């Protein structure tokens, strides 16, 4: 039986403290409709994803004006374009003439214009309609009001963050409270300098589970001992059932005594990220930036997860492993030990999420949360708030 | 034209006799919604399958306590577990913590406990919650009321029979009337000793047809002459249009005069089952045990079909060929001649069911039953009774 | 920028003339539901396709009585059968006994009867029920009223045209106005003698787009310059943005000065069709015969397209290349140059239609038509008229 007697629940555990219920109580999880129902899923796309700043794609490598990204956000295709002034603009990936998708995948070369391949309607990098065939049969193009449809975009941490439905809060206003809640300060996260790191590896996972299951899984370490022997060998304190996310404000988990690095071999292959300080050394931080980002911060790299919800029971998770640019540029660069440990853990996690998705198909599905999982309730409340008031019945 | 003048309709043919309509009348079949509609299908899962004793899986080979089966019953996953006292217990295959599916497939080794791989909640073979990580943060487990959810199970004929929704009738009370209706006595079926036979071969068919079409096909032999040249070569009386199921109470069909065994070569490869008597020799019995079992009883083996409804237009049919354990244990055991004849017949039947499924997609679908098919009306009435009163409009 | 200064809009351009809006105005296209919604699609099957004469299949090669075709029309399977008198009959492909689909694919040999493989109910080529097994248990077959269900069929241009729902207009009454509208006379089309040509090649395209997008694409040449470099190299005047369909009544587009034939090499491989005259030489005609036929007429061959709508976002397009029978019979016959140019063009077109289908999935989809596309409005009006009054909300 895996019921290790680990560390006591840390001081500061949110769910355990304050006016809340006693920690020993079981609390209800979400109803099965939250994971199964097509209508609930559509409602979440509109109410959670379209109204939130979603991480769309890594943009740091888009240097030249006219470089482009194509990303799926809240079920819509978005085109992100580097401007001449170094900023980003984002547009619906939709020609304003007949509605063709402009870009199926970004061209490897920076473009000077955005041209629809169907009828050659041509837009500037700023989205203005510049030219169309048979233009003399048309009203003056500048009066047509058929420029590309703007989408809000901000660039942060080397990523393009997009909000489909214009809102009043800035990206910083959404991110900073989450970082404060997690670290107690914004400086810890900033020290990893994610914006200047280089992608050394990437894996896309096709997961037969609802996006919320993937977030929930990242929120608790109660599963770490039974599910993750490799992970808990590297970070023994995870056997306590409390991880770095569920462990309280500022909590980082410590590598085991003989573990040099967060890698399959426990050996270090590279120095720590050069902007870190001694405080960060030997620590593992999990971070969640709702609605669609998970990140793992360890001394010598960062793994950055983007979740793309595809349906009630299907999600895509893209993970990018980020290293010092010099390390990646080195011909001898080999990230396999670092990648392998997290990849093994991810596959275990996503398989568990898929088991819960199968369970949600049962009419008897009726999950409960133990104290080590109470942090999930905050997430459920966050989703419920974004979704309400709304037309769909709330399963949260 | 295949319109052989075969045997006259047997005395005792239910549809032909009594106060019913004259045998020459065409009778209506089911409406297309019965085969096509997703709502009707869901209603049948709940009203027919969940409320009936369904054959879930062969259990005879589960000897050791802790041996397990995973079966799909009425759209739900069920775990069947051999107990220390030799009995069976069945549970929803659903962890009572976060709802993960406990077993994706049974382990080849008997287990001492049932443990969820996600968070290691651990149950006894009797379903009681025995242990959970961080247990001292939880209320006493025995007070939690989070043991596995019991499902009714009985063992008969070497199979586990499960009823999802608890009812008042025993398995025997559902099976015996069907056997009496078929054989006139329960002894004939019992003589085959299916519980002690061994599986010598198995085939799973993926059929693009509604489950009721598969049952209907087994209920009439009006198709035997045109569709089954191999079958009718072995059993010429099937050319009459009346088979063993539609042929009346107690009716067994006789192998042809030069046919030694029910096999592709017509040659016998093994003696008759040792519990049979001379009365059973050279006879073929079809048997239907609603809702999901078909069986073929011949002198030297039994073929046992389980139908699993997957959707309005899709069903899985698992066929196990059962022989004397000594025959199967013989290194020279070769069931291919026996399997081949029935497999050929099954493929012809399922292809015909798939044609009817294609036909049901037509707005002009309007089936009629001839006298040799009137036994189907009993089946349609049985389904209608189980489905009513209910929320779905009855297409029966 | 592809904005070639080509020919002026031709005199007679319908959209540009008369009381209509000024040619420079943008006009709205269809709402996204027209391309996406399952209910709209079902409504179109019933209201547009089932009530129209649809081209079902090439029938010219069906010489012998009893030769058969299987075609999908408006979501229904139809069996087309050559009669002894040389005419065609069409039936629902549905046995009147239990509703099995009679033919999955036509037999290569002419049949003397139509026999259902399930129970051998047997029909004459005229659909009458001739025989059934156990017939003496049945009422006299001729009184049963269970003959095959007739479907209206006419044969024209070597094709079988089927109308599922009986109506009052003949095929000619539907086709002739379309030919007059296109050519100003019926004689031009007739001169191609399509009924006597032979199929030299055929390709089936599986297109992830709504059927209306495929028709719309064929209605405008505004996309020709940007999308079709090979096509516009052969027919330079297509660079004007006006093609042969959108170019006005009677308009044929002319091959370029050094272009011998409509082929990838621009070289001619065969003489012009022998029933053409000098007027037709060096001309390319596009023709649309709603709801489901597109055709390309060039001097030495005809390409005949049949669109089969499979779902809101999926269509099958079957293209047959038709040549002089003597040419096809020649052992040296090689249509690859002719096929290749149109196949290249088709792939470009269908890819563009698929981009528009992706665009229609966006909530911001809001297409507009330029003057060179105004002919589409006639099509949209035609669909709207067929669909109304009807239960579905009209997205047209």
């Amino acid at each position: 039986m895996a019921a290790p007697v680990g560390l006591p629940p840390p001081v500061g555990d949110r769910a355990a403290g304050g006016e809340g219920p006693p920690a020993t109580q079981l609390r209800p999880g979400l109803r099965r409709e939250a994971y199964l129902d097509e209508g609930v899923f559509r409602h979440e796309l509109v109410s959670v994803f379209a109204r939130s700043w979603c991480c769309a794609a890594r943009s740091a490598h888009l240097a030249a004006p006219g470089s482009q990204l194509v990303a799926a956000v809240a079920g819509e295709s978005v085109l992100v374009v580097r401007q001449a002034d170094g900023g980003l603009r984002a547009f619906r990936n939709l020609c304003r003439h007949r509605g063709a998708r402009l870009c199926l995948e970004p061209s490897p070369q920076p473009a000077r214009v955005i041209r629809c391949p169907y009828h050659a309607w041509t837009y500037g990098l700023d989205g203005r309609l510049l030219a169309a065939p048979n233009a003399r049969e048309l009203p003056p193009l500048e009066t047509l009001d058929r420029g590309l449809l703007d989408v809000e975009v901000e660039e942060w941490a080397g990523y393009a963050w997009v909000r489909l439905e214009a809102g009043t809060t800035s990206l910083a206003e959404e991110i900073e409270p989450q970082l404060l809640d997690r670290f107690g300060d914004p400086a810890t996260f900033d020290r990893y300098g994610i914006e200047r790191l280089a992608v050394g590896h990437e894996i896309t996972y096709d997961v037969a589970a609802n996006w919320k299951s993937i977030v929930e899984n990242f929120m608790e370490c109660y599963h770490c001992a039974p599910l993750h022997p490799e992970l808990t060998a590297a970070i023994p304190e995870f056997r306590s059932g409390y991880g770095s996310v569920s462990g309280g404000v500022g909590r980082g988990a410590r590598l085991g005594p003989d573990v040099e690095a967060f890698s399959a071999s426990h050996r270090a292959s590279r120095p720590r990220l050069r902007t870190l300080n001694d405080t960060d050394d030997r620590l593992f931080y999990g971070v969640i930036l709702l609605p669609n980002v998970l990140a793992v911060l360890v001394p010598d790299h960062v793994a950055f997860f983007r979740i793309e919800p595809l349906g009630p029971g299907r999600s895509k998770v893209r993970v990018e492993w980020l290293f010092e640019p010099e390390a990646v540029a080195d011909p001898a660069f080999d990230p396999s030990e670092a990648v392998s440990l997290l990849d093994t853990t991810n596959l275990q996690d996503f398989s568990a999420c898929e088991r819960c998705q199968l369970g949600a198909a049962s009419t008897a599905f009726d999950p409960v949360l133990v104290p080590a999982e109470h942090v999930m309730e905050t997430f459920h409340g966050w989703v419920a708030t974004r979704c309400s008031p709304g037309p769909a019945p709330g399963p949260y």
Side-chain angles (χ1 to χ4, degrees), chain A residues 357-393:
Chain A
Q357 191 69 29
L358 290 170
S362 170
T363 55
F365 183 75
D366 170 31
V368 289
L369 311 180
V370 302
E373 297 170 318
H374 280 183
V375 65
M376 270 184 224
E377 293 190 87
T378 310
F379 170 53
H380 297 163
W382 182 89
V383 175
T385 302
R386 297 261 160 161
C387 280
S388 125

Side-chain angles (χ1 to χ4, degrees), chain A residues 297-373:
Chain A
L297 314 180
V298 291
D300 69 330
H301 69 273
V302 167
F304 200 92
F305 298 54
R306 269 175 294 133
I307 305 171
E308 181 187 337
L310 298 174
R314 191 157 163 242
S315 306
K316 192 162 87 174
V317 183
R318 172 84 158 189
V319 181
E320 287 155 338
W321 279 261
L322 300 161
F323 299 86
E324 282 289 347
E326 294 73 21
V328 174
D330 185 337
F333 174 70
D334 175 6
S336 56
E337 292 290 315
V339 167
S340 163
L341 176 53
L342 188 60
D343 181 39
T344 297
T345 303
N346 288 342
L347 291 171
Q348 291 159 343
D349 281 331
F350 299 153
S351 166
C353 294
E354 291 178 343
R355 279 178 184 265
C356 289
Q357 191 69 29
L358 290 170
S362 170
T363 55
F365 183 75
D366 170 31
V368 289
L369 311 180
V370 302
E373 297 170 318

Side-chain angles (χ1 to χ4, degrees), chain A residues 233-265:
Chain A
I235 306 177
E237 70 178 67
F238 279 166
R239 292 183 189 129
S240 70
Y242 287 86
S244 72
V245 170
S246 54
V249 177
R251 178 68 170 268
R254 198 159 293 276
L255 296 175
D258 300 322
V259 178
E260 288 174 12
F262 186 75
S263 75
S265 63

Side-chain angles (χ1 to χ4, degrees), chain A residues 86-173:
Chain A
L88 291 180
R89 294 284 295 270
F91 310 103
R92 302 272 183 157
N93 189 359
L94 186 78
C95 181
R96 298 305 307 290
H97 169 214
R98 295 272 305 285
R101 182 161 291 184
L102 293 163
C103 293
L104 301 179
E105 49 186 37
S107 139
Q109 296 299 324
R112 287 187 309 127
V113 293
I114 299 161
R115 181 183 298 170
C116 178
Y118 198 174
H119 301 88
W121 277 36
T122 303
Y123 307 86
L125 300 182
D126 60 356
R128 277 186 307 130
L129 177 59
L130 297 180
N134 297 21
R136 65 182 176 178
E137 292 178 29
L138 302 171
L141 297 183
E142 59 270 25
T143 70
L144 266 185
D145 195 25
R146 302 298 290 185
L148 295 182
L149 294 169
D150 255 307
V151 175
E152 291 187 322
V153 61
E154 293 201 34
E155 191 168 23
W156 176 71
Y159 285 87
W161 304 69
V162 161
R163 185 168 57 191
L164 266 192
E165 191 176 308
T168 54
T169 55
S170 66
L171 173 64
E173 287 168 325

